Amino acid sequence: MTRPHVLLSVAVSLDGHIDDRGTERFPLSNAEDFDHVDRMRAESDAILAGAETLRRDNARLLVYSEERRAQRKADGKPEFPLRVTVTRSGDLDPDLRFFHCGGDRLVYTRSAGTTVGHLAETKTFSEFPEILDDLGARGVRKLMVEGGTSIHTAFLGAGLADEIRVAVAPMLIGQATAPRFVNPAEFPGGPARRFHLEDVTRVGDVAVLRYFPKVTSERA
């Protein structure tokens, strides 16, 4: 069975935060980078975000460009990639925008019950590799993972990420308890492991770095 290529996408401040402590999503990126993320979504077969990201941001995980959606249809693909969320409890608000727009939705849960079974296909799982196996069986070849912290930590901790796209914003959050890219964890190879840096691109005032975490970089 072929698992999908897993791309983790994240925007961080210079001091390593992905958000501030406010109740609204803090805009770290810029319009050019948002458009680049929209292009990557359009090139993906599925987009995944954790339940906490849906709750905090009321995220829809859509491709917003009409031209890109039209191109997907012209290529014989669904207008929107499969949209996926992961929840431990199965407790999700049925009014979240994720459940009322776009194309197909899929919920992976560790609970036998869920509050949104009438709005999306639901499937139980125990470990994250099972999610990739199931998505691969559904024909998903490229999976874009958009967080949040616990989801990125789980994929990296299990050695499941093939690529990381980090957009570094020119600002400082400066709040000790603000969320970060990942939580403390035992990552494959430990702190001595150096990922391969594939390229660096300037997108307006944002620096975009692409890392291949399954490839070990040579020390200079």
Side-chain angles (χ1 to χ4, degrees), residues 176-195:
T177 58
R180 294 183 176 273
F181 173 30
V182 292
N183 290 318
E186 293 287 338
F187 296 110
R193 174 80 184 280
R194 299 173 71 90
F195 297 165

Side-chain angles (χ1 to χ4, degrees), residues 100-162:
H100 300 281
C101 60
D104 292 340
R105 300 169 292 274
L106 176 59
V107 176
Y108 290 103
T109 175
R110 285 189 166 132
S111 171
T114 176
T115 56
V116 293
H118 60 298
L119 294 172
E121 180 184 354
T122 62
K123 189 174 180 66
T124 56
F125 79 103
S126 298
E127 303 297 336
F128 274 74
E130 297 172 32
I131 292 177
L132 295 188
D133 288 339
D134 185 62
L135 290 174
R138 295 169 185 265
V140 173
R141 294 296 171 259
K142 185 172 183 179
L143 171 66
M144 184 173 178
V145 179
E146 298 197 20
T149 301
S150 62
I151 296 295
H152 281 147
T153 304
F155 273 94
L156 287 168
L160 300 175
D162 299 289

Side-chain angles (χ1 to χ4, degrees), residues 74-89:
D75 292 340
K77 300 177 181 179
E79 182 177 5
F80 295 97
L82 174 67
R83 293 174 302 126
V84 183
T85 191
V86 180
T87 170
R88 290 187 297 271
S89 66

